[in-house]
């Protein structure tokens, strides 16, 4: 198939899913064109030697947003729609798969109209805050709803997000659940010494990976860590960048956590900080799926996190981690300390999470699900009205 993909290129789950799906589709023989204002950081090619032999290809097209003295806010949505039209015409795309509804879905619907009579199907994947925060904001609600109902197919990354979408956007359309996925081989443990590189002895090492947006509650990660560290020496690795990052760094200093909190910033290979860690901390206030938690599971690391949104669909409480209400920080401290103290439990839950990641969230399963959505969207878009 000839597929266009649009996403945010920044450090975040939706961009990771879009980039890795694009690589996986190309590796299976499809022609994939990624359209965004910068190259998504996980968009690597060729992914493996086998991928090139499958005959697929992967291309990146940059959206240029021209400024003009009149524009206080340059219209990215229009520049994106224009680029979609250009790429779709030149490469005869059959389908545009957009990740994150705002504004990508509306740009794709607009592009489809401009491309007529050339047919192109629009598939929108909802990731979370495009519905739960941004999409339901009065400034964007109507356009988000329009982009969703005008898409030929809509998917959500969890059942929880599907339910929230139908309720918060008050839409009456099919929303199919296609859970996120992980290439478990990438997290298999070759990243040795992994997280233990930052340990000075055999002390526990905790990890948090996020885009440091307020929903991730990175300051609460520090509070959990501080309480566990009061009981025994341990380390905390913080991976990623974002709005709360500076605040977290400052707070770590104020709390006197010194060299026990290691700020790693954005890592090209996140597995280097995950493999070998004691537990992954994710006390988010909302999480439609929790891709970072799934990657920790793939690395064999148990998760201590919030029982919110789609998290229970990923992390089985009491089997590959512990999920607690977001406000129950004491409970999270107890869970993290349990993993630090009980090696057998830590290993058992880590192995169970890895097994679940391999068996339930494989790349193959997700690619098959998306290809079937694509076929149906193409059929729907070319059906007579
Ligand atoms: O951070 C966000 O809110 C946006 C988005 C992103 O681009 O990273 O995150 C969402 O999509 C991820 C991939 O599907 C999910 O794993 C995250 O749970 C989800 N974030 C939230 O729902 C807060």
């Amino acid at each position: 198939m000839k597929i266009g993909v649009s996403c945010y290129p920044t450090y975040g789950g939706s961009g990771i899913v879009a980039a890795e799906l694009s690589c996986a589709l190309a590796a299976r023989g499809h022609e994939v064109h990624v359209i965004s204002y910068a190259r998504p950081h996980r968009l690597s090619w060729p992914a493996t030697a086998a991928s090139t032999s499958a005959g697929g290809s992967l291309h990146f097209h940059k959206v240029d947003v021209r400024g003009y003295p009149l524009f206080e806010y340059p219209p990215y949505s229009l520049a994106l729609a224009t680029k979609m039209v250009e790429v779709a015409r030149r490469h005869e795309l059959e389908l545009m798969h957009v990740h994150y509804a705002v504004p990508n879905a509306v740009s794709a619907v607009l592009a489809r109209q401009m491309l007529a009579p050339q047919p192109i199907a629009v598939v929108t994947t909802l990731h979370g805050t495009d519905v739960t925060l941004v999409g339901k904001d009065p400034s964007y609600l109507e356009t988000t709803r329009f982009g969703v109902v005008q898409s030929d197919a809509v998917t959500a990354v969890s059942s929880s997000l599907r339910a929230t979408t139908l309720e918060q956007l008050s839409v009456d359309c099919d929303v199919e659940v296609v859970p996120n996925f992980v290439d478990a081989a990438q997290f298999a443990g070759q990243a040795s010494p992994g997280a233990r590189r930052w340990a000075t002895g055999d002390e526990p090492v905790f990890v948090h990976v996020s885009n440091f947006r307020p929903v991730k509650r990175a300051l609460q990660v520090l509070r959990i860590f501080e309480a566990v560290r009061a009981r025994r020496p341990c380390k905390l690795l913080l991976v990623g960048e974002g709005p709360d990052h500076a605040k977290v760094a400052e707070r770590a200093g104020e709390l006197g956590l010194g060299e026990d909190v290691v700020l790693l910033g954005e890592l090209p290979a996140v597995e280097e900080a995950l493999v070998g860690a004691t537990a992954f901390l994710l006390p988010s206030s909302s999480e439609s799926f929790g891709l970072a938690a799934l990657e920790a599971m793939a690395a064999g690391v148990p998760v201590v996190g919030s029982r919110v949104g789609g998290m229970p669909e990923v992390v089985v409480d009491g089997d590959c981690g512990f999920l607690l209400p977001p406000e129950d920080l004491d409970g999270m401290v107890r869970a993290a300390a349990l993993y630090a103290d009980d090696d057998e439990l830590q290993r058992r839950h880590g192995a169970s999470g890895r097994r679940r990641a391999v068996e339930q969230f494989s790349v193959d399963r997700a690619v098959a699900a998306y290809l079937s959505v694509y076929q149906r969207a193409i059929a729907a878009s070319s059906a007579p009205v």
Side-chain angles (χ1 to χ4, degrees):
M1 290 175 84
K2 293 183 174 204
I3 304 159
V5 171
S6 181
C7 65
Y8 282 94
T10 43
Y11 202 75
S14 60
I16 292 174
V17 170
E20 296 203 337
L21 179 62
S22 299
C23 293
L25 286 165
R28 286 158 180 77
H30 301 279
E31 182 179 321
V32 184
H33 295 263
V34 178
I35 304 171
S36 190
Y37 58 85
R39 194 180 173 93
H41 80 286
R42 290 224 194 154
L43 198 65
S44 54
W45 182 259
T48 64
S51 24
T52 37
S53 63
S57 61
L58 184 62
H59 313 262
F60 171 67
H61 307 268
K62 185 173 183 299
V63 179
D64 287 311
V65 193
R66 291 267 178 268
Y68 184 71
L70 190 65
F71 295 158
E72 173 109 18
Y73 307 102
Y76 175 70
S77 333
L78 299 185
L80 175 60
T82 307
K83 184 57 86 179
M84 285 174 171
V85 168
E86 199 184 297
V87 175
R89 260 195 203 128
R90 189 173 339 126
H91 300 280
E92 298 175 343
L93 300 186
E94 299 159 80
L95 177 114
M96 186 64 67
H97 184 180
V98 302
H99 294 260
Y100 208 87
V102 186
N104 304 334
V106 173
S107 298
V109 168
L110 181 59
R112 184 182 60 194
Q113 248 181 305
M114 288 191 278
L115 280 161
Q118 178 188 331
I120 185 160
V122 174
V123 174
T124 296
T125 290
L126 304 169
H127 280 272
T129 51
D130 46 354
V131 173
T132 58
L133 285 178
V134 186
K136 73 164 197 198
D137 186 286
S139 306
Y140 301 108
L141 178 60
E142 284 302 340
T143 43
T144 305
R145 189 183 281 144
F146 180 77
V148 166
V149 299
Q150 291 294 319
S151 297
D152 296 298
V154 182
T155 72
V157 298
S158 64
S159 301
S160 155
L161 182 60
R162 178 185 183 277
T164 309
T165 302
L166 298 180
E167 187 205 317
Q168 295 197 346
L169 298 186
S170 313
V171 288
D172 179 22
C173 60
D174 287 340
V175 177
E176 185 164 333
V177 176
V178 181
N180 289 333
F181 54 91
V182 66
D183 176 6
Q186 192 189 321
F187 294 84
Q190 314 89 321
S192 178
R196 300 225 57 85
R197 176 178 308 150
W198 290 278
T200 42
D202 62 356
E203 75 272 31
V205 179
F206 297 98
V207 188
H208 170 77
V209 180
S210 79
N211 45 28
F212 286 77
R213 298 200 185 125
V215 289
K216 304 292 175 181
R217 298 171 84 229
L219 284 166
Q220 278 70 16
V221 171
L222 272 190
R223 284 180 52 194
I224 297 168
F225 175 71
E226 185 195 11
V228 180
R229 183 179 171 269
R231 302 175 183 205
R232 57 179 295 172
C234 49
K235 289 268 187 309
L236 173 64
L237 309 182
L238 295 173
V239 182
E241 297 278 354
D244 284 347
H245 197 265
K247 247 186 274 175
V248 168
E250 194 184 320
R251 188 79 188 117
E254 285 164 7
L255 292 170
L257 298 177
E259 292 182 359
D260 291 339
V261 175
V262 187
L263 297 149
L264 293 170
E266 292 179 4
L267 289 182
V270 75
E271 59 273 20
E272 281 169 16
L274 284 172
V275 173
T278 307
F280 184 78
L281 307 178
L282 195 63
S284 312
S285 56
S286 99
E287 206 66 75
S288 68
F289 182 89
L291 184 64
L294 177 61
E295 293 190 336
M297 285 160 58
V301 180
V303 176
V304 175
S306 299
R307 192 182 301 120
V308 289
M311 282 280 280
E313 296 171 49
V314 181
V315 181
V316 179
D317 186 26
D319 177 66
C320 44
F322 291 111
L323 296 182
L324 296 127
E327 65 279 3
D328 186 5
L329 287 190
D330 290 342
M332 294 195 204
V333 171
R334 279 195 297 277
L338 197 57
Y339 286 133
D341 295 341
D342 187 338
D343 287 348
E344 199 278 321
L345 180 81
Q346 192 274 345
R347 268 196 291 275
R348 187 153 42 83
H349 280 195
S352 184
R354 177 155 171 85
R355 204 162 38 244
R356 183 166 166 75
V358 170
E359 289 171 2
Q360 303 296 323
F361 298 96
S362 70
V363 181
D364 280 340
R365 187 184 272 222
V367 169
Y370 277 120
L371 285 174
S372 138
V373 170
Y374 293 172
Q375 299 292 1
R376 272 176 280 129
I378 289 172
S381 72
S382 50
V385 204

